[in-house]
Amino acid sequence: MEIETIETKGETSLFVEVFTAVLPFILLAILAAIIITIVFIVKIIKRYLANGKIAEQKLKMEQTDIQEIKQRLDRMEKILREDR
């Protein structure tokens, strides 16, 4: 059994040369896109968490305000009952 061998001339095609020259730039572009995407995702997550904290603070303030209003109303009702 004989194995056939394909003779090569030692030259590469133009496509291979161009692709080899451009490949590092393509990889850098992909890496830059991944890094930019990660940065944007982190910013979005930080903003989401900050908005959640703000909403929580607003809710606490509203609950405090409601509690104060209830206490005032109770005092007013007590005063009105005493005046009768």
Coordinates of all heavy atoms in Angstrom, one line a residue:
M1 N 0.8 -1.2 0.0 CA 0.0 0.0 0.0 C 0.9 1.2 0.0 O 1.7 1.4 0.8 CB -0.8 0.0 1.3 CG -2.2 -0.5 1.1 SD -3.1 0.1 2.5 CE -4.0 -1.3 2.8
E2 N 0.6 2.0 -0.9 CA 1.3 3.3 -1.0 C 0.4 4.5 -0.6 O -0.8 4.5 -1.0 CB 1.7 3.5 -2.5 CG 3.2 3.7 -2.6 CD 3.6 3.9 -4.0 OE1 3.8 2.8 -4.7 OE2 3.6 5.0 -4.5
I3 N 0.9 5.4 0.2 CA 0.2 6.5 0.6 C 0.5 7.7 -0.4 O 1.6 7.9 -0.7 CB 0.5 7.0 2.0 CG1 0.2 5.9 3.0 CG2 -0.2 8.3 2.4 CD1 0.6 6.2 4.4
E4 N -0.6 8.2 -0.9 CA -0.4 9.3 -1.9 C -0.1 10.6 -1.1 O -0.6 10.9 -0.1 CB -1.7 9.6 -2.7 CG -2.0 8.5 -3.6 CD -3.2 8.8 -4.4 OE1 -3.4 10.0 -4.8 OE2 -4.0 7.9 -4.7
T5 N 0.9 11.3 -1.6 CA 1.2 12.6 -1.0 C 0.9 13.7 -2.0 O 1.1 13.5 -3.2 CB 2.7 12.6 -0.7 OG1 3.5 12.4 -1.8 CG2 3.0 11.6 0.4
I6 N 0.5 14.8 -1.4 CA 0.2 16.0 -2.3 C 1.4 16.9 -2.2 O 1.8 17.3 -1.1 CB -1.1 16.6 -1.8 CG1 -2.3 15.6 -1.9 CG2 -1.4 17.9 -2.6 CD1 -3.6 16.2 -1.3
E7 N 1.9 17.2 -3.3 CA 3.0 18.2 -3.3 C 2.5 19.6 -3.1 O 1.5 20.0 -3.7 CB 3.8 18.0 -4.6 CG 4.4 16.7 -4.8 CD 5.2 16.6 -6.1 OE1 5.6 17.7 -6.6 OE2 5.4 15.5 -6.6
T8 N 3.2 20.3 -2.3 CA 2.9 21.8 -2.1 C 4.1 22.6 -2.7 O 5.2 22.1 -2.7 CB 2.7 22.1 -0.7 OG1 3.9 21.8 0.1 CG2 1.5 21.3 -0.1
K9 N 3.7 23.7 -3.1 CA 4.8 24.6 -3.7 C 5.5 25.5 -2.7 O 6.4 26.2 -3.0 CB 4.1 25.5 -4.8 CG 3.6 24.7 -5.9 CD 2.9 25.6 -7.0 CE 2.3 24.8 -8.1 NZ 1.7 25.6 -9.1
G10 N 4.9 25.5 -1.4 CA 5.6 26.3 -0.4 C 5.0 27.7 -0.4 O 5.4 28.5 0.4
E11 N 4.1 28.0 -1.3 CA 3.5 29.3 -1.3 C 2.1 29.2 -0.7 O 1.4 28.2 -0.8 CB 3.3 29.8 -2.7 CG 4.7 30.0 -3.4 CD 4.5 30.5 -4.8 OE1 3.3 30.8 -5.2 OE2 5.5 30.5 -5.6
T12 N 1.7 30.3 0.0 CA 0.3 30.3 0.5 C -0.5 31.2 -0.3 O 0.0 32.1 -1.0 CB 0.3 30.8 2.0 OG1 0.9 32.1 2.0 CG2 1.1 29.9 2.9
S13 N -1.8 31.0 -0.3 CA -2.7 31.8 -1.1 C -2.8 33.2 -0.5 O -2.5 33.5 0.7 CB -4.1 31.2 -1.2 OG -4.7 31.3 0.1
L14 N -3.3 34.1 -1.3 CA -3.4 35.5 -0.8 C -4.4 35.6 0.3 O -4.2 36.4 1.3 CB -3.9 36.4 -2.0 CG -4.1 37.9 -1.7 CD1 -2.7 38.5 -1.3 CD2 -4.6 38.6 -2.9
F15 N -5.4 34.8 0.3 CA -6.4 34.8 1.3 C -5.8 34.5 2.7 O -6.1 35.1 3.7 CB -7.6 33.9 1.0 CG -8.6 33.7 2.1 CD1 -9.5 34.7 2.4 CD2 -8.5 32.6 3.0 CE1 -10.4 34.5 3.5 CE2 -9.4 32.4 4.0 CZ -10.3 33.4 4.3
V16 N -5.0 33.5 2.7 CA -4.4 33.0 3.9 C -3.4 34.1 4.4 O -3.4 34.4 5.6 CB -3.6 31.7 3.7 CG1 -2.8 31.3 4.9 CG2 -4.5 30.6 3.3
E17 N -2.7 34.8 3.6 CA -1.8 35.8 4.0 C -2.6 37.0 4.6 O -2.3 37.6 5.6 CB -1.0 36.3 2.8 CG 0.1 35.3 2.4 CD 0.9 35.7 1.2 OE1 0.8 36.9 0.9 OE2 1.6 34.9 0.7
V18 N -3.7 37.4 3.9 CA -4.5 38.5 4.4 C -5.2 38.2 5.7 O -5.2 38.9 6.6 CB -5.5 38.9 3.3 CG1 -6.5 39.9 3.9 CG2 -4.8 39.5 2.1
F19 N -5.7 37.0 5.7 CA -6.4 36.5 7.0 C -5.4 36.5 8.1 O -5.8 36.9 9.2 CB -7.0 35.1 6.7 CG -7.8 34.7 7.9 CD1 -9.1 35.2 8.1 CD2 -7.3 33.7 8.8 CE1 -9.9 34.8 9.2 CE2 -8.1 33.3 9.8 CZ -9.4 33.8 10.1
T20 N -4.2 36.0 7.9 CA -3.2 35.9 9.0 C -2.8 37.3 9.4 O -2.6 37.5 10.6 CB -2.0 35.1 8.5 OG1 -2.4 33.9 8.0 CG2 -1.0 35.0 9.6
A21 N -2.8 38.3 8.5 CA -2.4 39.6 8.9 C -3.5 40.3 9.6 O -3.3 41.1 10.5 CB -2.0 40.4 7.6
V22 N -4.8 40.0 9.3 CA -5.9 40.7 9.8 C -6.4 40.1 11.1 O -7.0 40.7 12.0 CB -7.0 40.8 8.8 CG1 -8.3 41.4 9.4 CG2 -6.6 41.6 7.6
L23 N -6.1 38.8 11.3 CA -6.6 38.1 12.5 C -6.3 38.7 13.8 O -7.3 38.8 14.7 CB -6.1 36.6 12.5 CG -6.6 35.7 13.5 CD1 -8.1 35.5 13.4 CD2 -5.9 34.4 13.5
P24 N -5.1 39.2 14.1 CA -4.9 39.9 15.4 C -5.9 41.1 15.6 O -6.3 41.3 16.7 CB -3.5 40.3 15.4 CG -2.8 39.4 14.4 CD -3.9 39.1 13.4
F25 N -6.1 41.8 14.6 CA -7.0 43.0 14.7 C -8.4 42.6 14.9 O -9.2 43.2 15.7 CB -6.9 43.9 13.5 CG -5.5 44.4 13.3 CD1 -4.7 44.0 12.2 CD2 -5.0 45.4 14.1 CE1 -3.5 44.5 12.0 CE2 -3.7 45.9 14.0 CZ -3.0 45.5 12.9
I26 N -8.8 41.5 14.3 CA -10.2 41.0 14.5 C -10.3 40.5 16.0 O -11.3 40.8 16.6 CB -10.5 39.8 13.5 CG1 -10.6 40.3 12.1 CG2 -11.8 39.1 13.9 CD1 -10.7 39.3 11.0
L27 N -9.3 39.8 16.5 CA -9.4 39.3 17.8 C -9.4 40.5 18.8 O -10.1 40.4 19.8 CB -8.2 38.4 18.1 CG -8.2 37.0 17.4 CD1 -6.9 36.2 17.6 CD2 -9.4 36.2 17.7
L28 N -8.6 41.5 18.5 CA -8.6 42.7 19.4 C -10.0 43.4 19.4 O -10.5 43.8 20.4 CB -7.5 43.7 19.0 CG -6.1 43.3 19.4 CD1 -5.1 44.3 18.8 CD2 -5.9 43.3 20.9
A29 N -10.6 43.4 18.2 CA -11.9 44.1 18.1 C -12.9 43.2 18.9 O -13.8 43.8 19.6 CB -12.3 44.2 16.7
I30 N -12.9 41.9 18.8 CA -13.8 41.1 19.6 C -13.6 41.3 21.1 O -14.5 41.4 21.9 CB -13.6 39.6 19.2 CG1 -14.1 39.4 17.7 CG2 -14.4 38.7 20.1 CD1 -13.8 38.0 17.2
L31 N -12.3 41.3 21.5 CA -12.0 41.5 22.9 C -12.5 42.8 23.4 O -13.0 42.9 24.5 CB -10.5 41.3 23.1 CG -10.0 41.4 24.5 CD1 -10.5 40.3 25.4 CD2 -8.4 41.4 24.6
A32 N -12.3 43.9 22.6 CA -12.7 45.2 23.0 C -14.3 45.2 23.1 O -14.8 45.8 24.0 CB -12.3 46.2 21.9
A33 N -14.9 44.6 22.2 CA -16.4 44.5 22.3 C -16.9 43.8 23.5 O -17.8 44.3 24.2 CB -17.0 43.8 21.0
I34 N -16.2 42.7 23.9 CA -16.6 42.0 25.1 C -16.3 42.9 26.3 O -17.2 43.0 27.2 CB -15.8 40.7 25.2 CG1 -16.2 39.7 24.1 CG2 -15.9 40.1 26.6 CD1 -15.4 38.5 24.0
I35 N -15.2 43.6 26.4 CA -14.9 44.5 27.5 C -15.9 45.6 27.6 O -16.4 45.9 28.7 CB -13.5 45.0 27.4 CG1 -12.5 43.8 27.6 CG2 -13.2 46.1 28.4 CD1 -11.0 44.2 27.4
I36 N -16.2 46.2 26.5 CA -17.2 47.3 26.5 C -18.6 46.8 26.9 O -19.3 47.5 27.7 CB -17.3 48.0 25.1 CG1 -16.0 48.7 24.8 CG2 -18.5 48.9 25.0 CD1 -15.9 49.2 23.4
T37 N -19.0 45.6 26.5 CA -20.2 45.0 26.9 C -20.3 44.8 28.4 O -21.2 45.1 29.1 CB -20.5 43.7 26.2 OG1 -20.4 44.0 24.7 CG2 -21.8 43.1 26.5
I38 N -19.2 44.3 28.9 CA -19.1 44.0 30.4 C -19.2 45.3 31.2 O -19.9 45.4 32.2 CB -17.8 43.2 30.7 CG1 -17.9 41.8 30.2 CG2 -17.6 43.2 32.2 CD1 -16.6 41.0 30.3
V39 N -18.5 46.4 30.7 CA -18.6 47.7 31.4 C -20.0 48.2 31.4 O -20.5 48.7 32.4 CB -17.6 48.7 30.7 CG1 -17.9 50.1 31.2 CG2 -16.2 48.3 31.0
F40 N -20.7 48.1 30.2 CA -22.1 48.6 30.2 C -23.0 47.8 31.1 O -23.9 48.3 31.7 CB -22.6 48.6 28.7 CG -22.2 49.8 27.9 CD1 -21.5 49.6 26.7 CD2 -22.4 51.1 28.4 CE1 -21.1 50.7 26.0 CE2 -22.0 52.1 27.6 CZ -21.3 52.0 26.4
I41 N -22.8 46.5 31.1 CA -23.7 45.6 32.0 C -23.4 46.0 33.4 O -24.4 46.1 34.2 CB -23.4 44.1 31.7 CG1 -23.9 43.7 30.3 CG2 -23.9 43.3 32.8 CD1 -23.5 42.3 29.9
V42 N -22.2 46.2 33.8 CA -21.9 46.6 35.2 C -22.6 48.0 35.5 O -23.1 48.1 36.6 CB -20.4 46.7 35.4 CG1 -20.0 47.4 36.8 CG2 -19.8 45.3 35.4
K43 N -22.5 48.9 34.6 CA -23.1 50.2 34.8 C -24.6 50.1 35.0 O -25.3 50.7 35.8 CB -22.8 51.2 33.7 CG -21.4 51.7 33.7 CD -21.2 52.8 32.6 CE -19.8 53.4 32.7 NZ -19.6 54.4 31.7
I44 N -25.2 49.2 34.1 CA -26.7 49.0 34.2 C -27.1 48.4 35.5 O -28.0 48.8 36.2 CB -27.2 48.2 33.0 CG1 -27.1 49.0 31.7 CG2 -28.6 47.7 33.3 CD1 -27.3 48.1 30.5
I45 N -26.3 47.4 36.0 CA -26.6 46.8 37.3 C -26.4 47.8 38.4 O -27.3 47.8 39.3 CB -25.6 45.5 37.5 CG1 -26.0 44.4 36.5 CG2 -25.7 45.0 38.9 CD1 -25.1 43.3 36.4
K46 N -25.4 48.6 38.4 CA -25.2 49.6 39.4 C -26.4 50.6 39.5 O -26.9 50.9 40.5 CB -23.9 50.4 39.2 CG -22.7 49.6 39.6 CD -21.4 50.5 39.5 CE -20.2 49.8 39.9 NZ -19.0 50.6 39.7
R47 N -26.8 51.0 38.3 CA -27.9 51.9 38.2 C -29.2 51.3 38.7 O -30.0 51.9 39.5 CB -28.1 52.4 36.8 CG -29.2 53.5 36.7 CD -29.3 54.0 35.3 NE -28.1 54.8 35.0 CZ -27.6 55.0 33.8 NH1 -28.2 54.5 32.8 NH2 -26.5 55.7 33.6
Y48 N -29.4 50.0 38.4 CA -30.6 49.3 38.9 C -30.6 49.2 40.4 O -31.6 49.4 41.0 CB -30.6 47.9 38.2 CG -31.7 47.0 38.7 CD1 -33.0 47.2 38.2 CD2 -31.5 46.0 39.6 CE1 -34.1 46.4 38.7 CE2 -32.5 45.2 40.1 CZ -33.8 45.4 39.6 OH -34.8 44.6 40.0
L49 N -29.4 48.8 40.9 CA -29.3 48.7 42.4 C -29.5 50.1 43.1 O -30.2 50.1 44.1 CB -28.0 48.1 42.8 CG -27.8 46.7 42.4 CD1 -26.3 46.2 42.7 CD2 -28.8 45.8 43.1
A50 N -29.0 51.1 42.5 CA -29.1 52.5 43.0 C -30.6 52.9 43.0 O -31.1 53.4 44.0 CB -28.3 53.5 42.3
N51 N -31.3 52.6 41.9 CA -32.7 52.9 41.8 C -33.5 52.1 42.8 O -34.5 52.6 43.4 CB -33.2 52.7 40.4 CG -32.7 53.7 39.4 OD1 -32.3 54.8 39.8 ND2 -32.8 53.4 38.1
G52 N -33.1 50.9 43.0 CA -33.8 50.1 44.0 C -33.6 50.7 45.4 O -34.6 50.7 46.2
K53 N -32.5 51.2 45.7 CA -32.2 51.8 47.0 C -33.0 53.0 47.2 O -33.6 53.3 48.3 CB -30.7 52.1 47.2 CG -29.9 50.8 47.5 CD -28.4 51.2 47.6 CE -27.6 49.9 47.8 NZ -26.2 50.2 47.9
I54 N -33.1 53.8 46.1 CA -33.9 55.1 46.2 C -35.3 54.8 46.4 O -36.0 55.4 47.2 CB -33.6 55.9 44.9 CG1 -32.2 56.4 44.8 CG2 -34.7 57.0 44.7 CD1 -31.8 57.1 43.5
A55 N -35.8 53.8 45.7 CA -37.2 53.4 45.8 C -37.5 52.9 47.3 O -38.5 53.2 47.8 CB -37.6 52.3 44.8
E56 N -36.6 52.2 47.8 CA -36.7 51.7 49.2 C -36.7 52.9 50.2 O -37.5 52.9 51.1 CB -35.6 50.7 49.5 CG -35.7 50.0 50.8 CD -34.5 49.1 51.1 OE1 -34.0 48.5 50.1 OE2 -34.2 48.9 52.3
Q57 N -35.9 53.8 50.0 CA -35.8 55.0 50.8 C -37.1 55.8 50.7 O -37.7 56.3 51.7 CB -34.7 55.9 50.5 CG -33.3 55.3 50.9 CD -32.1 56.2 50.4 OE1 -32.3 57.1 49.6 NE2 -31.0 55.9 50.9
K58 N -37.7 55.9 49.5 CA -38.9 56.6 49.3 C -40.0 55.9 50.0 O -40.9 56.5 50.7 CB -39.3 56.8 47.8 CG -38.5 57.8 47.1 CD -39.0 57.9 45.7 CE -38.3 58.9 44.9 NZ -38.8 59.0 43.5
L59 N -40.1 54.6 49.9 CA -41.1 53.8 50.6 C -41.0 54.0 52.1 O -42.0 54.2 52.8 CB -41.0 52.3 50.3 CG -42.0 51.4 50.9 CD1 -43.4 51.8 50.4 CD2 -41.6 50.0 50.5
K60 N -39.8 54.0 52.7 CA -39.6 54.2 54.1 C -40.1 55.6 54.5 O -40.8 55.7 55.5 CB -38.2 54.0 54.5 CG -37.7 52.6 54.6 CD -36.3 52.4 55.0 CE -35.8 51.0 55.0 NZ -34.4 50.9 55.4
M61 N -39.8 56.6 53.7 CA -40.2 57.9 54.0 C -41.7 58.0 54.0 O -42.4 58.7 54.8 CB -39.6 58.9 53.0 CG -38.1 59.2 53.2 SD -37.4 60.2 52.0 CE -38.3 61.7 52.1
E62 N -42.3 57.4 53.0 CA -43.8 57.4 52.9 C -44.4 56.7 54.1 O -45.4 57.2 54.6 CB -44.3 56.8 51.6 CG -44.0 57.6 50.3 CD -44.3 56.9 49.0 OE1 -44.8 55.7 49.1 OE2 -44.1 57.5 48.0
Q63 N -43.9 55.6 54.5 CA -44.4 54.9 55.6 C -44.3 55.8 56.9 O -45.2 55.8 57.7 CB -43.7 53.6 55.8 CG -44.1 52.6 54.8 CD -43.3 51.3 54.9 OE1 -42.2 51.2 55.6 NE2 -43.7 50.2 54.2
T64 N -43.2 56.4 57.0 CA -43.0 57.3 58.2 C -44.0 58.5 58.1 O -44.6 58.8 59.2 CB -41.5 57.9 58.2 OG1 -40.6 56.8 58.1 CG2 -41.3 58.8 59.4
D65 N -44.2 59.0 56.9 CA -45.2 60.1 56.8 C -46.6 59.6 57.2 O -47.3 60.3 57.9 CB -45.1 60.7 55.4 CG -43.9 61.5 55.1 OD1 -43.2 61.9 56.1 OD2 -43.6 61.7 53.9
I66 N -46.9 58.5 56.7 CA -48.2 57.9 57.0 C -48.4 57.7 58.5 O -49.4 58.0 59.0 CB -48.4 56.6 56.2 CG1 -48.6 56.9 54.7 CG2 -49.7 55.8 56.7 CD1 -48.6 55.6 53.8
Q67 N -47.4 57.2 59.1 CA -47.4 56.9 60.6 C -47.6 58.3 61.3 O -48.4 58.3 62.2 CB -46.1 56.2 61.0 CG -46.2 55.8 62.5 CD -47.2 54.7 62.7 OE1 -47.5 53.9 61.7 NE2 -47.7 54.6 63.9
E68 N -46.9 59.3 60.9 CA -47.0 60.6 61.5 C -48.4 61.2 61.3 O -49.0 61.7 62.3 CB -46.0 61.6 61.0 CG -44.6 61.3 61.4 CD -43.6 62.2 60.7 OE1 -44.0 63.2 60.0 OE2 -42.4 62.0 61.0
I69 N -49.0 61.0 60.1 CA -50.3 61.5 59.9 C -51.3 60.7 60.7 O -52.3 61.3 61.3 CB -50.7 61.4 58.4 CG1 -49.8 62.4 57.6 CG2 -52.1 61.6 58.1 CD1 -49.9 62.2 56.1
K70 N -51.2 59.4 60.9 CA -52.1 58.7 61.7 C -52.0 59.1 63.2 O -53.0 59.2 63.8 CB -51.7 57.2 61.6 CG -52.2 56.5 60.4 CD -51.8 55.0 60.4 CE -52.2 54.3 59.1 NZ -51.9 52.9 59.1
Q71 N -50.8 59.4 63.6 CA -50.6 59.9 65.0 C -51.3 61.2 65.2 O -52.0 61.5 66.2 CB -49.2 60.0 65.4 CG -48.5 58.6 65.5 CD -47.0 58.8 65.8 OE1 -46.4 59.8 65.7 NE2 -46.3 57.6 66.0
R72 N -51.2 62.1 64.2 CA -51.8 63.4 64.3 C -53.3 63.3 64.3 O -54.1 63.9 65.1 CB -51.4 64.3 63.1 CG -50.0 64.8 63.2 CD -49.7 65.7 62.0 NE -48.3 66.0 61.9 CZ -47.7 66.5 60.8 NH1 -48.4 66.8 59.8 NH2 -46.4 66.7 60.9
L73 N -53.8 62.4 63.4 CA -55.3 62.1 63.4 C -55.8 61.6 64.7 O -56.9 62.0 65.2 CB -55.6 61.2 62.2 CG -57.0 60.8 62.0 CD1 -57.8 62.1 61.7 CD2 -57.2 59.8 60.9
D74 N -55.0 60.7 65.3 CA -55.4 60.1 66.6 C -55.5 61.2 67.6 O -56.4 61.3 68.5 CB -54.5 59.0 67.0 CG -54.6 57.7 66.2 OD1 -55.7 57.6 65.6 OD2 -53.7 56.9 66.2
R75 N -54.5 62.1 67.6 CA -54.5 63.2 68.6 C -55.7 64.1 68.4 O -56.3 64.6 69.3 CB -53.2 64.0 68.5 CG -52.0 63.4 69.2 CD -50.8 64.2 69.2 NE -49.8 63.6 68.4 CZ -49.0 64.2 67.5 NH1 -49.0 65.5 67.4 NH2 -48.2 63.5 66.8
M76 N -56.0 64.4 67.1 CA -57.1 65.3 66.8 C -58.4 64.6 67.3 O -59.3 65.3 67.8 CB -57.2 65.6 65.3 CG -56.0 66.5 64.8 SD -55.9 66.7 63.1 CE -57.3 67.8 62.8
E77 N -58.6 63.3 67.0 CA -59.8 62.6 67.4 C -59.9 62.6 68.9 O -61.0 62.8 69.5 CB -59.8 61.2 66.9 CG -60.0 61.1 65.4 CD -59.9 59.6 64.9 OE1 -59.4 58.8 65.7 OE2 -60.3 59.4 63.8
K78 N -58.8 62.5 69.6 CA -58.8 62.5 71.1 C -59.2 63.9 71.6 O -60.0 64.0 72.5 CB -57.4 62.1 71.6 CG -57.3 62.0 73.1 CD -55.9 61.6 73.5 CE -55.8 61.6 75.0 NZ -54.5 61.3 75.5
I79 N -58.7 64.9 71.0 CA -59.1 66.3 71.4 C -60.6 66.5 71.1 O -61.3 67.1 72.0 CB -58.2 67.3 70.6 CG1 -56.8 67.2 71.1 CG2 -58.8 68.7 70.8 CD1 -55.8 68.1 70.3
L80 N -61.1 66.0 70.0 CA -62.5 66.2 69.7 C -63.4 65.5 70.6 O -64.4 65.9 71.0 CB -62.8 65.8 68.2 CG -62.2 66.8 67.1 CD1 -62.5 66.1 65.8 CD2 -62.9 68.1 67.2
R81 N -63.0 64.3 71.0 CA -63.8 63.5 72.0 C -63.8 64.2 73.3 O -64.8 64.1 74.0 CB -63.2 62.1 72.1 CG -63.5 61.2 70.9 CD -62.9 59.8 71.2 NE -62.9 59.1 69.9 CZ -62.0 58.1 69.6 NH1 -61.1 57.8 70.4 NH2 -62.1 57.5 68.4
E82 N -62.7 64.8 73.7 CA -62.6 65.4 75.0 C -63.5 66.7 75.1 O -64.1 67.0 76.1 CB -61.2 65.8 75.4 CG -60.3 64.6 75.7 CD -58.9 65.0 75.9 OE1 -58.5 66.1 75.8 OE2 -58.1 64.1 76.3
D83 N -63.6 67.4 73.9 CA -64.4 68.6 73.8 C -65.9 68.3 73.9 O -66.7 69.2 74.3 CB -64.1 69.4 72.6 CG -62.7 70.0 72.6 OD1 -62.1 70.1 73.7 OD2 -62.2 70.4 71.5
R84 N -66.3 67.2 73.6 CA -67.8 66.9 73.6 C -68.3 66.9 75.0 O -68.6 66.8 75.9 CB -68.0 65.5 73.0 CG -67.9 65.6 71.5 CD -68.3 64.3 70.9 NE -68.3 64.4 69.4 CZ -68.6 63.4 68.6 NH1 -69.0 62.3 69.1 NH2 -68.6 63.6 67.4

